[in-house]
Amino acid sequence: KNIKIGEDMCQGVGLGETVSFNVNVTTKSCKTNSSSFKVFAAAFGEVEIDVHTICNCECQDDKEYNSFDCSRNGDLTCGRCSCNNGWYGKECECESTKNNPSVVNRCKRTNTSNTVCEGNGECACNECKCDLVKNTGQSYYGKYCQCSDFNCDEYHGKLCGGEARGVCKCGKCECKKGHLGSNCGTTDCSIENSKCLDTNGVYCSGHGECKCGKCLCDSFYEGDVCQRCPTCIDKCDDFKQCVLCKVFDHHTANKTICDDCPHMKIWESLDAVRKLGYPVTCEDEDAEGCNYYFTYGKIGDENATTVFVVSKKDCPKDPDLLVIVLAVMSGIVAIGIILLILWKLLTTMVDRNEYQRFKRDRARSKWHREKNPLYQSPTHTVYNPIYTGKRQKRYSWLM
C-alpha cells in the first residue's frame, strides 16, 4: 500500500510491497550529453540516476530547404518553418526589409492595446484579416477590424431606429433628415414643423398649435393641419350676394351690399378651390337654376377675409327634343315587337296543346267496321225478282 502524506514521506508501507517514485528532471543546457544524481529515501537507501540529454531531434537531419510549405522562403525543419532573411510569418509568407519585424504591434490600434485587430480578426503580414460578424453575412472592416454595422445604439428595438430614421456605420448612427441623437431617436422639430403648414403657408390653418410636426387643433377643428370644422357655423349666406354681384354681375336692390363685400379671387375649377384647404366650401343656386361655388378664409397673417370663387357656374343643360322623340319612337317600336313576340308564343303554345290532345284522343280510339257509322262496304248485293205464278190480268186504270 502506497500512501503519500507530503512531498517526501510515505507511510503504511508493508513488506513485499513496491514503492514508486516520480522524479522530474529539467535540463537547462546542452553543454554535456550525460550526467547523474542521487535520490535518497529513508528506509530504502539511495538511488543513483544517470541522465543522458538529447539536444538535437532526429528530424533535424531531414531538413527541407526552401520548402513549398514555407512559401519557398524558408527551410522546413521538424514541421516548422525557419524563414530566410527578409521573410517572416508562420509559413514565411510575409516580406519585410527588417529582420524579425514587430508584426503584432502593427496590428494593434494603440501601443497599449492588449488585443490584435481589436479581437475581430487575425494579423497577417502586418495587416488585419477581419472575421465575419456573428450571425450575419458581413465582415468587420477597418484597418484594425474596428468597424461593424451591427453594434450601434437601438431605438424601439431597431438599430438607429430602423431604415426610416438612420443607418449604422462603423458603430455610429448616421441619422436621416429630421432625426437626431446617438440612436436617431430624437426628432428634429425645426424640420418637422413644415408639416404643419397648410396650402396657404399658415401653421395649422390658424386653428391650432404646431408641436414638432404635429398640429394640436383648437376645439371643434380637425384634420392634419386643422383644416376642417364640421360643427362650425359657416358664413356662406353672408357672402353669396357679394359673389353674385361682384363676380357674376347680378344686380341687387340694395347696392350697399356690393360696396361692403370683401376681396374676391377667381379660380378656374371647384377642385382648385377645395385644394385651398379652407374648412367650408359654399354652394348655392341662383334665380336661373345654376349652381355656383366659393369658399372663404384668411391668407397668411392677414386679418381680412378673402372669398375664393369658381369662375363658371354649373347650369343644367336644355333637353334635346330630337333625342326625346327618337327615344319615344324607339320605345313604341320596341313595345310592339315585344307584344308580337308574346302573341306568337301564345298561339304556338295553344296550337301545340291542341295537337297533343288530338294525338292522345286518336290513340285511345278503337273503331270496328260494324260500329262505324261512316263505314261502307266496297261490295253491294242486288236481288233479282223471280216469277213464280200465273200471268196476272192487266187492268186498265184508265177510265
Side-chain angles (χ1 to χ4, degrees):
K1 191 174 182 180
N2 192 5
I3 302 177
K4 185 176 182 180
I5 301 300
E7 294 182 357
D8 55 1
M9 295 181 63
C10 292
Q11 294 181 354
V13 179
L15 295 174
E17 293 184 354
T18 301
V19 178
S20 299
F21 294 92
N22 295 323
V23 179
N24 295 325
V25 180
T26 303
T27 300
K28 295 183 179 181
S29 66
C30 288
K31 293 181 179 180
T32 58
N33 292 333
S34 63
S35 61
S36 64
F37 63 91
K38 294 180 180 181
V39 177
F40 177 81
F44 290 95
E46 62 180 16
V47 177
E48 186 175 357
I49 300 175
D50 295 327
V51 178
H52 296 277
T53 305
I54 302 175
C55 292
N56 295 321
C57 299
E58 295 180 358
C59 62
Q60 288 182 339
D61 297 333
D62 299 328
K63 180 183 292 187
E64 183 179 346
Y65 295 95
N66 294 325
S67 173
F68 178 79
D69 294 330
C70 299
S71 305
R72 302 293 187 185
N73 299 318
D75 303 332
L76 182 64
T77 305
C78 296
R80 300 186 67 180
C81 290
S82 177
C83 300
N84 300 331
N85 290 336
W87 298 91
Y88 65 93
K90 185 177 180 180
E91 297 178 354
C92 302
E93 73 275 14
C94 302
E95 184 178 8
S96 176
T97 57
K98 297 181 181 180
N99 294 332
N100 301 322
S102 179
V103 178
V104 175
N105 288 336
R106 295 187 183 184
C107 291
K108 290 183 179 180
R109 196 171 184 181
T110 61
N111 292 332
T112 58
S113 178
N114 295 325
T115 58
V116 175
C117 303
E118 296 295 305
N120 300 321
E122 296 181 353
C123 184
C125 300
N126 290 340
E127 294 182 356
C128 287
K129 303 297 182 182
C130 301
D131 298 333
L132 287 174
V133 182
K134 189 177 180 180
N135 297 328
T136 68
Q138 298 184 15
S139 302
Y140 292 95
Y141 61 95
K143 183 177 180 180
Y144 303 101
C145 302
Q146 75 276 15
C147 290
S148 168
D149 295 341
F150 298 93
N151 58 347
C152 293
D153 294 338
E154 295 185 357
Y155 178 73
H156 288 176
K158 295 181 179 180
L159 290 173
C160 304
E163 295 182 356
R165 290 179 170 267
V167 293
C168 182
K169 293 292 184 182
C170 196
K172 293 184 178 180
C173 288
E174 294 183 358
C175 300
K176 295 184 178 180
K177 186 178 180 181
H179 303 284
L180 303 171
S182 61
N183 60 354
C184 304
T186 304
T187 302
D188 187 358
C189 294
S190 62
I191 297 176
E192 293 297 311
N193 283 345
S194 61
K195 296 179 180 179
C196 295
L197 293 173
D198 63 6
T199 54
N200 296 310
V202 180
Y203 283 101
C204 302
S205 303
H207 303 297
E209 183 180 1
C210 183
K211 290 291 186 181
C212 205
K214 292 185 178 180
C215 283
L216 301 179
C217 300
D218 297 336
S219 299
F220 309 113
Y221 285 88
E222 63 183 20
D224 295 336
V225 289
C226 307
Q227 72 275 24
R228 296 189 299 273
C229 182
T231 59
C232 292
I233 299 175
D234 61 68
K235 296 182 179 180
C236 294
D237 292 338
D238 298 340
F239 296 131
K240 64 181 183 180
Q241 292 298 330
C242 290
V243 171
L244 289 174
C245 68
K246 285 286 188 180
V247 179
F248 300 110
D249 295 329
H250 285 210
H251 300 288
T252 59
N254 189 356
K255 295 183 179 180
T256 58
I257 295 179
C258 294
D259 296 336
D260 296 335
C261 288
H263 179 62
M264 301 279 175
K265 283 193 174 184
I266 309 300
W267 292 80
E268 293 297 327
S269 65
L270 179 60
D271 291 336
V273 170
R274 287 174 175 170
K275 287 181 179 179
L276 295 175
Y278 291 107
V280 179
T281 300
C282 303
E283 177 183 354
D284 202 7
E285 183 177 335
D286 62 8
E288 299 174 355
C290 298
N291 292 330
Y292 57 97
Y293 307 92
F294 62 93
T295 186
Y296 56 89
K298 297 179 180 179
I299 302 176
D301 298 330
E302 296 180 2
N303 293 324
T305 300
T306 302
V307 180
F308 305 90
V309 185
V310 179
S311 59
K312 294 182 181 180
K313 297 180 182 180
D314 186 9
C315 297
K317 296 181 180 180
D318 294 332
D320 193 339
L321 296 178
L322 178 62
V323 173
I324 295 175
V325 172
L326 291 176
V328 172
M329 293 178 64
S330 299
I332 295 173
V333 172
I335 293 174
I337 293 174
I338 293 173
L339 291 175
L340 286 175
I341 293 173
L342 292 176
W343 174 80
K344 181 63 177 178
L345 291 175
L346 181 62
T347 54
T348 301
M349 291 175 60
V350 172
D351 292 342
R352 184 177 297 174
N353 291 334
E354 291 294 332
Y355 178 69
Q356 293 295 332
R357 187 173 63 180
F358 168 74
K359 290 175 65 177
R360 289 194 299 270
D361 292 343
R362 187 178 64 177
R364 289 195 300 264
S365 300
K366 295 181 180 180
W367 295 99
H368 297 281
R369 295 179 180 179
E370 295 80 2
K371 297 180 179 181
N372 189 352
L374 301 178
Y375 176 76
Q376 291 184 0
S377 176
T379 61
H380 183 70
T381 304
V382 178
Y383 295 97
N384 189 19
I386 301 174
Y387 178 76
T388 58
K390 294 179 179 182
R391 176 180 299 180
Q392 297 179 354
K393 292 181 179 181
R394 291 184 179 180
Y395 294 93
S396 175
W397 299 95
L398 300 175
M399 298 298 292

